[in-house]
Every structure is written in C-alpha cells, then in structure tokens.
Amino acid sequence: MKKITATGQSVEEAVNSALAQLNSTRDRVEIEIEDEGKKGFLGLFGARQAIVHVTLPADPVEESLKFLQDITRKMGVKSEIRVQRQGKNVTFHLSGEKIALLIGKRGQTLNSLQYLTQLVANRYSKQFLNVIVDAEDYRNRRTDTLIQLAERMANKSLKTGKIVALEPMPSYERKVIHKALLHYPKIKTTSNGTEPYRHLVITPVK
C-alpha cells in the first residue's frame, strides 16, 4: 500500500499530482481531503493550498504473484509465471524445470499452493477472487483423470449399493466430478467437511 500527500491550487490539482506520483488512476485509489484550500483575495491574499491524502491499495494479483514467486524460489524451483485474469477468475500458469515438485502426488502440492495463493489474493481484494494455479497444463490432464474416476466410483456405488467417499479436493475439482455424474439419474453427489479437507460423497439413490 502506498500513500501520498499532495498539494495544489485546488483539490483536483492536488489529486492529479498524487496520481502522477503514484502512476495510477482515480478508480484505483482512495482519496482523503484534508483541506479544500482557498483562493484568497485577488487570488493572492489569504490564499491556501488544497491538501489531499491519496492511498493506492496493494493489488491482489500482484501480491499473489509475488507470493508464488517467493515460495517456488524457496522450494528450489525456477519457474516462469504467466498471469491470466478474466473478471473474478485469476489463473497463474507455471512452467519451467523441476515443475513436478510443484505438482506433487495427485496434484496435492499444487492444490496447497493454489489454496494459499487464493488466501493471499483475497486478503488484498475487495471482491472475492477465484484463483487457479496450474503447472504445465496439469489441470486439464487432471480433469480427464477426474472424469474417469467419477464414472468408475459411480459404477462401484451402483453395483454395491453403498456410499463412496472420495479424497479431499478443491472446489473446482469437486465441480468436475459433480458435472460428470449429472447424467447418472440413480446417483447423488454431495460435498462434506471443511476446506481444505472438503470431499465429495457419491450416494446411490434407491
């Protein structure tokens, strides 16, 4: 977070001065007017400059990127990170050597990185941001695996007539399985537990 105190012949002039120093725009800052100023007699006598305090809040995406760069470096992985933002959805694409270390077994390390990165992003954001951390297109490959898992476990549940509980997964992975099983009329899917241990349960419907 950066804060600038600026002065000017008017509030508008003082604000513009602060924006120039912050290299920002009005919609991204918070403005506090300390003194609206006074023109004075004939523009000279009794004149007083306007004083404003302009604050530029930390950018949630930039802070998340810094966090990811720092943690991957501490893990001994040199990675390039590309950021893609669409509305409230932010995706960090990681690539580089030793990328498997960032993915971990069944993506558990990657899921943990994603969970922590989302916490960082929403700490600085005024609106909730949905964060995805991907590494070498792992998420797409994982989606294919999840669909196969969903169908296999659904068939197991139907065959045995018993409830099947899956391993903890992030919300978007649970959505993949839920969507994959929508065409199973005799199967119901629900989520149980609390994050990050929330998991999906497959229940046969009699």
Side-chain angles (χ1 to χ4, degrees), residues 23-173:
N23 191 29
S24 184
T25 54
R26 187 181 288 264
D27 61 307
R28 293 185 59 196
V29 301
E30 298 171 0
I31 301 171
E32 177 188 349
I33 302 173
E34 179 181 320
D35 193 328
E36 294 186 354
K38 186 179 180 182
K39 289 185 177 181
F41 181 65
L42 298 177
L44 296 173
F45 304 106
R48 188 175 70 250
Q49 287 196 317
I51 304 174
V52 298
H53 306 287
V54 180
T55 303
L56 177 62
D59 182 87
V61 176
E62 290 179 5
E63 294 301 321
S64 301
L65 178 59
K66 289 177 185 177
F67 168 77
L68 267 180
Q69 290 171 331
D70 182 55
I71 198 168
T72 53
R73 184 171 58 251
K74 288 178 178 177
M75 291 174 69
V77 180
K78 292 182 178 180
S79 62
E80 294 182 4
I81 305 176
R82 179 171 58 86
V83 182
Q84 180 181 6
R85 181 168 186 175
Q86 293 180 324
K88 297 180 181 179
N89 299 312
V90 183
T91 304
F92 296 91
H93 299 275
L94 281 64
S95 60
E97 298 179 1
K98 299 182 180 180
I99 209 71
L101 291 175
L102 300 181
I103 296 175
K105 185 179 180 181
R106 291 196 299 272
Q108 290 178 351
T109 303
L110 194 64
N111 288 343
S112 296
L113 285 174
Q114 178 172 292
Y115 177 71
L116 293 173
T117 304
Q118 179 154 293
L119 288 180
V120 173
N122 287 296
R123 176 185 176 188
Y124 294 99
S125 180
K126 292 182 179 180
Q127 62 175 356
F128 181 80
L129 295 178
N130 182 44
V131 173
I132 297 292
V133 177
D134 197 3
E136 299 287 6
D137 202 34
Y138 171 80
R139 296 301 182 190
N140 283 333
R141 301 197 305 273
R142 175 67 172 167
T143 295
D144 293 338
T145 301
L146 287 172
I147 292 173
Q148 293 174 17
L149 173 67
E151 294 177 345
R152 191 167 67 250
M153 292 298 101
N155 289 325
K156 178 181 177 180
S157 180
L158 288 172
K159 185 177 180 180
T160 62
K162 296 181 179 180
I163 294 173
V164 176
L166 304 184
E167 63 188 24
M169 299 175 186
S171 61
Y172 85 95
E173 288 194 349

